[in-house]
Amino acid sequence: MGDDSDGTTAGTELPVDTERYTGTLRPGGTIILGADRLVVDRDDEPVVVDLADVVEVSLQDIDWFLAVMSAALIGFGLLSLNRSVLLGGAFAVAGAVSLALTYRKRNALRIRVTGRADPLRCLPAEPQALLAELEAALAD
């Protein structure tokens, strides 16, 4: 009974007829582009999107504003070490964590879908190849 409810069986029955592209996601999981739908399987429940419902596809580079602000926070923390080691160190660590999280979210593929309030975001391992295949599939 426990074998039927785990996430591995859901990943084997993905509703894609013919595959145009199959890739991996950086945080884990797979992304499959079929002839008429896109499946994003993040190891929980797969998200299935019909290509007819896709409004816009874009590749979001690194958030430069947030990266510069994080680097400035690191610099402020390092410069503040003379006055208070604890407070300056806290600012530097907070900036480093923010910079690391910002870097992890680079090259996010944003897919705006009809009927969804927020765009579908995924982090493919090969974002340029997936974007080219997805744009070619939408053009057909």
Side-chain angles (χ1 to χ4, degrees), residues 104-122:
R104 270 186 44 193
K105 294 180 183 177
R106 74 193 182 288
N107 291 332
L109 187 67
R110 297 178 54 143
I111 304 166
R112 286 192 44 216
V113 181
T114 303
R116 284 182 65 118
D118 55 341
L120 176 65
R121 290 187 62 220
C122 60

Side-chain angles (χ1 to χ4, degrees), residues 12-87:
T12 59
E13 301 172 6
L14 296 178
V16 175
D17 297 333
T18 57
E19 294 181 7
R20 293 180 66 146
Y21 177 86
T22 302
T24 59
L25 299 174
R26 283 191 313 231
T30 59
I31 186 163
I32 302 170
L33 175 63
D36 58 346
R37 54 182 66 162
L38 176 73
V39 178
V40 179
D41 187 11
R42 295 184 181 125
D43 295 333
D44 48 0
E45 185 174 327
V47 177
V48 180
V49 175
D50 288 331
L51 290 182
D53 295 338
V54 173
V55 176
E56 179 186 10
V57 178
S58 63
L59 188 62
Q60 180 182 359
D61 196 22
I62 193 166
D63 188 359
W64 287 106
F65 177 75
L66 192 56
V68 169
M69 292 301 289
S70 300
L73 193 60
I74 292 171
F76 177 75
L78 292 177
L79 290 175
S80 299
L81 286 175
N82 292 343
R83 298 183 131 228
S84 172
V85 174
L86 183 63
L87 193 59

